[in-house]
């Protein structure tokens, strides 16, 4: 993906704003139950960046430990789900595609945790589907 794009986004109430230098190195639709519950939606669409690409312009994310190694970030004012961090990969941060001002700029390329996808959701795209997570190595990008 090209790396010269400048993306901006934030939470629903505007208390948190960010910008990202470049497009994500990965993007997916997650169907896991934790993403569904944290977002209040039947799936969550995420985009992955290196930490140095992200600049927080206003406010700060409040994090919740949804499991031993996972931190989910949200706005403490409006509750908007914004970030996902895996402690084993400190060089990466995952942001909600829906939090972008122009979410059409980033299109997910695969689905994960499809074994947990709600039965009535029918998605007709050509993206690969993984029953669980997609395997990463710490040196992957």
């Amino acid at each position: 993906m090209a790396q010269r794009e400048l993306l901006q986004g934030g939470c629903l109430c505007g208390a948190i704003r960010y910008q990202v230098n470049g497009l994500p190195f990965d993007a997916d639709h997650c169907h896991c139950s934790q993403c569904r519950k944290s977002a209040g939606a039947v799936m969550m669409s995420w985009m992955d960046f290196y930490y140095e690409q992200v600049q927080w312009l206003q406010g700060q994310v409040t994090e919740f430990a949804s499991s031993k190694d996972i931190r989910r970030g949200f706005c403490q004012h409006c509750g908007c789900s914004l970030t996902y961090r895996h402690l084993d990969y400190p060089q990466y941060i995952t942001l909600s595609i829906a939090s972008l001002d122009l979410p059409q700029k980033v299109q997910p390329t695969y689905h994960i945790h499809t074994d947990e996808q709600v039965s009535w959701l029918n998605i007709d795209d050509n993206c690969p589907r993984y029953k669980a997570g997609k395997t990463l190595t710490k040196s992957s990008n």
Side-chain angles (χ1 to χ4, degrees):
M1 293 184 181
Q3 291 297 313
R4 295 293 165 230
E5 186 84 26
L6 184 66
L7 303 172
Q8 292 192 343
C11 66
L12 177 63
C13 72
I16 298 174
R17 294 290 301 161
Y18 66 85
Q19 72 180 21
V20 183
N21 183 13
L23 292 172
F25 64 82
D26 218 351
D28 66 78
H29 296 295
C30 184
H31 299 270
C32 81
S33 63
Q34 286 194 0
C35 280
R36 285 197 315 266
K37 289 183 179 190
S38 71
V42 296
M43 70 179 186
M44 188 75 177
S45 298
W46 295 108
M47 54 188 175
D48 300 321
F49 296 93
Y50 294 99
Y51 245 102
E52 60 268 14
Q53 289 179 269
V54 179
Q55 179 183 6
W56 297 99
L57 303 173
Q58 179 176 302
Q60 73 181 46
V61 171
T62 299
E63 289 191 322
F64 167 72
S66 60
S67 63
K68 178 181 168 261
D69 296 323
I70 305 300
R71 301 297 178 267
R72 293 176 182 274
F74 62 94
C75 174
Q76 66 180 346
H77 300 288
C78 65
C80 181
S81 182
L82 292 167
T83 66
Y84 173 99
R85 285 192 315 119
H86 194 298
L87 298 181
D88 288 345
Y89 302 94
Q91 69 274 35
Y92 306 141
I93 185 163
T94 300
L95 298 170
S96 161
I97 293 173
S99 71
L100 286 171
D101 295 342
L102 299 171
Q104 62 271 24
K105 293 249 181 187
V106 176
Q107 183 173 348
T109 58
Y110 60 95
H111 296 262
I112 57 174
H113 297 287
T114 58
D115 59 338
E116 297 182 51
Q117 181 176 328
V118 294
S119 61
W120 51 259
L121 181 62
N122 183 20
I123 299 172
D124 187 20
D125 65 23
N126 294 322
C127 294
R129 286 157 168 72
Y130 299 90
K131 288 184 178 188
K134 184 178 173 190
T135 304
L136 279 180
T137 62
K138 288 190 180 183
S139 62
S140 289
N141 60 353

